Amino acid sequence: MVINKLLKYIKIYFKLFKFGFILATAYRASFLIEILVELGYQIGFILFFVGVLMNVKSIGGWTYHEVMFLAGLSIVVSEVTLGAIYVFNLSRLPEKIKNGEIDTILLKPINSLFYLSLGLPYFASFVSCLTGIYVMWISVVNGHLVISFANF
Amino acid sequence: MPFVGGLTGVSLSDGFGEDIRTGFFSNQLIKPYKIWITAFTREFAYKLQYLLAVGPVYILAIIGIFSFYYSSTINPTSIFLALLFVIFGFLFHIIFDLAISWCAFWTTDVWCFKHIKKIFFSVCGGRRFPIDFFSGSLLLAMEIMPFKFIYFIPLSYFLGIRKTQMVLIDTISVVTWSAFFASVGIILWKKGIKKYEAYGN
């Protein structure tokens, strides 16, 4: 019963994801600018650590590559969270409630909280989380970091 | 840092960009004044208001901090130079922001202006960390770019980190960059105003 419900919501989420992607890419220039802005923020974030670690060899025992791996992981987690839940969903929720725009959502035969929290993903965040993955990968390769299932 | 940012910060591009995009800009065009003078006086008034309302709190906080942490490098000269470069930074920022604002004649994505500015100022302006954390070509690039005048340069002079011999070079640099962005702004304005059209406002 619970699994069926879970599968149903995963299916709905994929549909919403697809719809969100079509909506985001309808205006190509706008979509590209969104990605560039997100990348800019991440470059700023990475440059901060590069700047600091140009002057010191380690921070509290954390080497350059370990810190960069952590920075990459932070980018991935924050971008996915922002993109899936925050930017177009939770951040706009108070405004929607104030303007009486959630009535139509409350009438739909799905969990309202699910739809309001995950209804419209912000795709630029998902695309730009690739930067974080790249930074993590570079750190693992160049820093010879050993990642195993036991670490997780 | 927030005190200096409050003095040098300008947010013209958000308002002008939105006005151009929505067509509300027409209302300003028919009025008998120059738009750049209005922008300048409005920002100047905001700064006066900021200085009167928020300034005393920051000044008390700064005095409080320095009564515990005495620094011999802070003296009347360093305070004067910091104030001088705060004024230069403010003027440069207005000119730069106006030049960015006129890009709205060609794009509808005006929301990105404030983000692009924020990114450049946080990394290249020294808001996130002092730019002399960098070395080699990265430091050279940061030194050449004009964004340092918003945060890094006024604070460096205030703390006495930057040598007074650099005053002339920094002044020439900020004036040159201001002249460059003023020229870009004028060109964009002349081309953009020919292209601009709106109805129903």
Side-chain angles (χ1 to χ4, degrees), chain A residues 30 33 37 40-41 44 48 51 55, chain B residues 109 112 115 118-119 123 129 133:
Chain A
S30 188
I33 291 170
V37 166
Y41 276 118
F48 168 70
N55 299 281
Chain B
D109 293 302
C112 66
H115 291 286
K118 204 172 159 185
I119 293 162
V123 180
F129 54 92
F133 270 27

Side-chain angles (χ1 to χ4, degrees), chain A residues 10-138:
Chain A
I10 289 170
K11 242 181 199 174
I12 293 171
Y13 187 68
F14 276 111
K15 290 272 179 199
L16 290 169
F17 201 80
K18 193 179 158 190
F19 175 67
F21 182 72
I22 293 165
L23 202 71
T25 49
Y27 299 98
R28 283 177 207 168
S30 188
F31 185 59
L32 284 174
I33 291 170
E34 279 172 11
I35 291 172
L36 284 176
V37 166
E38 288 300 324
L39 286 177
Y41 276 118
Q42 284 156 25
I43 289 167
F45 183 68
I46 292 164
L47 274 177
F48 168 70
F49 290 107
V50 171
V52 171
L53 288 155
M54 267 180 170
N55 299 281
V56 288
K57 283 193 172 170
S58 66
I59 304 171
W62 288 65
T63 62
Y64 176 82
H65 293 292
E66 285 168 344
V67 171
M68 292 314 281
F69 184 84
L70 188 68
L73 186 67
S74 163
I75 288 172
V76 173
V77 173
S78 61
E79 288 297 318
V80 169
T81 314
L82 280 174
I85 301 168
Y86 189 70
V87 178
F88 287 152
N89 299 304
L90 292 189
S91 74
R92 293 183 180 179
L93 188 56
E95 191 72 16
K96 283 180 189 167
I97 294 170
K98 186 177 78 75
N99 298 339
E101 289 169 10
I102 60 165
D103 298 14
T104 48
I105 294 161
L106 293 173
L107 290 170
K108 285 188 200 312
I110 56 166
N111 189 310
S112 308
L113 197 60
F114 165 80
Y115 194 84
L116 287 166
S117 317
L118 299 163
L120 190 60
Y122 176 60
F123 272 90
S125 271
F126 288 104
V127 176
S128 60
C129 83
L130 295 174
T131 321
I133 294 169
Y134 179 72
V135 170
M136 284 165 72
W137 183 67
I138 290 286

Side-chain angles (χ1 to χ4, degrees), chain B residues 105-134:
Chain B
F105 286 119
W106 290 272
T107 175
T108 50
D109 293 302
V110 291
W111 59 270
C112 66
F113 294 165
K114 69 174 174 190
H115 291 286
I116 291 168
K117 259 176 53 182
K118 204 172 159 185
I119 293 162
F120 273 107
F121 289 151
S122 67
V123 180
C124 311
R127 190 172 69 185
R128 199 180 274 260
F129 54 92
I131 61 169
D132 44 16
F133 270 27
F134 290 117

